[in-house]
Amino acid sequence: IGILSTSGGKQLATLTVDPNSTLKELKTQVHRLKSHLYPDRQEFRQEPRGKGLDENKTVAALGLKDQSKLYLKDLGPQIAWKTVFLTEYAGPLFVYAWIYTRPWLFYGEDATSQPMSQVAHIAVICWVFHYGKRILETLFVHRFSHATMPVRNLFRNCAYYWIFAAYVAYHINHPLYTAPCQIQSYIALGFWTVCELGNFSIHWLLRNLRPPGSKERKIPRPTKDPLTLLFNLVSCPNYTYEVGGWIAFTAMTQCIPAGLFAFAGFYQMAIWAIGKHRAYKKDFKDYPRGRKAIIPFVL
Amino acid sequence: MSTPKKAPRILSLPAKVYLVLYNVIQFLGWSFIQYKMIDHFTNKGLKVTGLWEQVEIPLLIFQSAAVFEIVHSATGIIPSNVGITFAQVFSRVFLLWPILYKVTETRDQFGFPLLLAAWTITEILRYLYYTLNLLSTVPAIVQWCRYSFFIILYPIGITGELISCYCALPHYSTTQDFSTLLPNKWNFTFSFYYYIILVMLAYIPVFPQLYGHMFLQRKKILGSKKHD
């Protein structure tokens, strides 16, 4: 089988393979020939601009014969998802916590001596808890379907998370920050707590939906946990809860920058939710019809 | 400014007439600004003072009118990408109103004639090219100029623009115009001073991309000997 590059159509290698070998094994062979192309960096296609092929499929299953050609796309340097998430989430946690101490760099020398509202103290706890939870979930809860992603994304994502964290933190921890009335903050805090628990419940459910080591996909349905009832209304209640949490955080702090962050997050998660929702509907003929993607009854 | 046409575009007659009119009017407007500029330097020598007063009104009118081009690209009567058109018009309008118009100190500094020279020559060429293109009669020399002059005009223009932005900073630092500070009920801040700095920094990634894009266009259009 001839292996051609997707850029330029150059012949990269010719492999001799067993018809029952999977593409995964082919990748290992290519890696032996080209040491910089580790398997996670390779994507096989039947056409230069075609869809990536599932590496678990066998040569025979794809109808490849002697002298057949396969295209190989170099996905660029890869980084493990886990590494990505840990970097993306540790950043905002430490950045916010640091700004909470009112460093002179942002606020001048006199800032630390000035009083801080109760809400600002509560906000840092919420923020640190939220990202701490995310880190723990990345380490112990989530099961990832892809092992890696391109390194390029890491810089872009980190910039987004870290800069936004600084932007929000700067305002809430500012000596001239104005807290809203206490009742508003406490109600919002309650709502935030429910959303955090809800978000975790969904992550836990999704983890248990997929047996360890498998890439199997099943329709998620509510369990005994009442917070999972949201699955009756949306395909991605984890995103719904996440957005809810940030709206609550915004209401608790009455801070437009936090609102902008909530909106940006909502925008991105809505895109992901719609994609996942479509994928579910495509993969499962019996997918529940009352469900929306992220906002019950609406979107 | 626009990407080359991928396939011959079929424009309705009213759209075509409108675009020809628009481009002709812009061509005349910018030629007039150019004339005023040359007139100023011929009579006053190399002094910047007074140049703004000579060109102010037509410059404000014709450069601001470029906003229409965003609508043109959004409605599809010109083949440009809306995002790129928006970015380019925005950068001009940003220089024009909050910098040159608002901050009078920027009118006496060296960056102003630099950007004005770049803008006028570029726009005269660009609108001439568009007009002739709509009438399907672009002489090779015009095409060559349009896709070659940018090589020096872009760097000259952005130098002028960056210098002018820098000159406007002290004004915004002192007056805090267009800015919102703490404390306020919504805990929101916006500093136009830092916003200008952000825009200046944005030139670093954006300029090479636009410059590179123009070189690609040049290669595509001048590289093949065909006329569009």
Side-chain angles (χ1 to χ4, degrees):
Chain A
I1 297 189
I3 306 294
L4 302 171
S5 156
T6 55
S7 48
K10 217 172 51 165
Q11 176 100 352
L12 294 170
T14 313
L15 304 176
T16 318
V17 298
D18 181 300
N20 288 324
S21 45
T22 60
L23 290 185
K24 202 167 178 169
E25 285 151 23
L26 258 65
K27 286 184 183 176
T28 322
Q29 279 194 39
V30 172
H31 180 38
R32 256 181 250 129
L33 294 170
K34 303 237 172 214
S35 59
H36 71 285
L37 284 177
Y38 42 90
D40 282 319
R41 203 167 153 165
Q42 301 177 35
E43 182 182 80
F44 283 122
R45 298 175 178 175
Q46 285 183 292
E47 292 303 315
R49 288 186 164 278
K51 224 179 80 153
L53 300 167
D54 182 357
E55 63 178 12
N56 293 311
K57 289 227 158 79
T58 62
V59 166
L62 287 165
L64 296 168
K65 302 191 247 301
D66 193 34
Q67 302 302 319
S68 283
K69 301 233 184 304
L70 261 185
Y71 287 92
L72 177 63
K73 174 146 178 85
D74 179 358
L75 297 171
Q78 298 287 298
I79 187 164
W81 270 117
K82 253 194 189 175
T83 318
V84 169
F85 283 127
L86 292 174
T87 326
E88 281 179 11
Y89 299 155
L93 197 156
F94 288 111
V95 164
Y96 192 109
W98 177 48
I99 295 180
Y100 169 73
T101 64
R102 289 191 176 158
W104 65 267
L105 191 65
F106 296 99
Y107 298 120
E109 294 289 348
D110 306 316
T112 46
S113 57
Q114 291 176 41
M116 187 177 254
S117 65
Q118 189 190 47
V119 164
H121 295 300
I122 299 177
V124 70
I125 296 172
C126 289
W127 186 280
V128 168
F129 176 85
H130 177 84
Y131 282 99
K133 168 178 153 294
R134 279 211 207 180
I135 291 173
L136 290 173
E137 285 172 340
T138 305
L139 289 171
F140 301 116
V141 177
H142 293 311
R143 296 204 213 272
F144 297 100
S145 34
H146 304 284
T148 66
M149 81 180 214
V151 173
R152 215 174 310 125
N153 286 3
L154 180 67
F155 296 118
R156 186 194 66 183
N157 295 355
C158 277
Y160 167 79
Y161 275 111
W162 294 37
I163 292 174
F164 241 128
Y167 180 61
V168 176
Y170 172 78
H171 290 82
I172 298 175
N173 297 298
H174 202 286
L176 294 176
Y177 166 76
T178 315
C181 75
Q182 272 205 334
I183 302 182
Q184 176 178 324
S185 293
Y186 284 134
I187 295 177
L189 179 62
F191 193 66
W192 179 86
T193 313
V194 170
C195 287
E196 289 290 303
L197 289 170
N199 177 263
F200 176 75
S201 303
I202 305 302
H203 288 159
W204 187 252
L205 186 158
L206 290 172
R207 170 196 174 81
N208 294 326
L209 206 56
R210 168 179 286 174
S214 95
K215 293 191 182 176
E216 191 189 331
R217 297 177 73 234
K218 295 209 283 250
I219 299 178
R221 294 185 192 280
T223 60
K224 285 206 272 287
D225 181 342
L227 291 168
T228 62
L229 285 170
L230 202 47
F231 262 119
N232 286 331
L233 297 176
V234 289
S235 291
C236 302
N238 48 320
Y239 293 149
T240 315
Y241 279 123
E242 172 88 25
V243 176
W246 286 114
I247 293 175
F249 184 85
T250 305
M252 183 178 82
T253 56
Q254 197 159 296
C255 178
I256 285 185
L260 294 174
F261 180 58
F263 181 75
F266 166 71
Y267 183 79
Q268 178 63 84
M269 285 188 271
I271 294 175
W272 291 336
I274 291 171
K276 283 209 166 88
H277 183 66
R278 289 214 183 111
Y280 278 138
K281 289 202 288 191
K282 204 173 81 149
D283 289 348
F284 302 109
K285 292 294 166 245
D286 56 337
Y287 196 71
R289 299 221 4 247
R291 288 190 192 179
K292 292 289 180 181
I294 185 172
I295 306 179
F297 312 116
V298 175
L299 182 63
Chain B
M1 240 194 196
S2 70
T3 53
K5 301 170 181 157
K6 299 185 193 99
R9 296 186 67 79
I10 306 157
L11 275 181
S12 66
L13 188 61
K16 202 164 184 176
V17 168
Y18 164 76
L19 278 178
V20 169
L21 266 174
Y22 173 80
N23 287 313
V24 167
I25 292 171
Q26 283 280 25
F27 170 76
L28 293 172
W30 282 97
S31 302
F32 180 66
I33 296 170
Q34 171 86 289
Y35 159 73
K36 284 297 223 172
M37 183 178 178
I38 294 173
D39 184 59
H40 168 88
F41 284 117
T42 347
N43 294 331
K44 302 274 179 59
L46 284 175
K47 282 208 167 49
V48 182
T49 319
L51 175 59
W52 172 263
E53 284 70 24
Q54 289 294 305
V55 300
E56 175 173 12
I57 298 186
L59 183 61
L60 291 176
I61 294 175
F62 291 99
Q63 182 60 87
S64 301
V67 171
F68 284 114
E69 289 171 43
I70 301 174
V71 181
H72 297 169
S73 73
T75 53
I77 55 175
I78 63 172
S80 294
N81 174 280
V82 189
I84 294 182
T85 312
F86 179 83
Q88 289 176 309
V89 173
F90 177 84
S91 78
R92 291 291 184 86
V93 169
F94 179 79
L95 253 301
L96 190 62
W97 291 100
I99 308 290
L100 288 169
Y101 180 77
K102 178 90 181 150
V103 183
T104 52
E105 292 89 344
T106 59
R107 305 166 185 181
D108 289 328
Q109 44 82 26
F110 173 61
F112 173 50
L114 269 188
L115 70 82
L116 193 64
W119 289 9
T120 50
I121 301 175
T122 306
E123 299 305 64
I124 290 171
L125 254 182
R126 185 164 74 89
Y127 290 115
L128 177 64
Y129 179 80
Y130 288 164
T131 310
L132 295 175
N133 211 0
L134 283 163
L135 302 172
S136 305
T137 53
V138 187
I141 179 74
V142 174
Q143 189 179 63
W144 186 87
C145 288
R146 152 119 169 99
Y147 285 103
S148 304
F149 277 28
F150 78 89
I151 299 178
I152 42 162
L153 289 180
Y154 258 41
I156 292 177
I158 66 162
T159 307
E161 290 172 22
L162 287 171
I163 296 176
S164 304
C165 284
Y166 184 75
C167 279
L169 287 175
H171 170 95
Y172 284 102
S173 172
T174 357
T175 63
Q176 293 294 328
D177 277 333
F178 308 143
S179 304
T180 311
L181 298 177
L182 291 178
N184 62 70
K185 194 169 130 183
W186 294 102
N187 295 298
F188 178 68
T189 57
F190 181 75
S191 163
F192 203 78
Y193 174 83
Y194 283 113
Y195 182 66
I196 297 176
I197 294 179
L198 191 71
V199 169
M200 289 172 72
L201 286 174
Y203 275 71
I204 300 175
V206 173
F207 168 67
Q209 284 187 36
L210 288 177
Y211 204 45
H213 176 68
M214 285 303 289
F215 270 105
L216 271 173
Q217 305 270 73
R218 179 167 204 267
K219 210 163 152 200
K220 230 191 285 185
I221 298 204
L222 297 184
S224 64
K225 295 297 186 174
K226 305 188 278 241
H227 293 303
D228 181 45

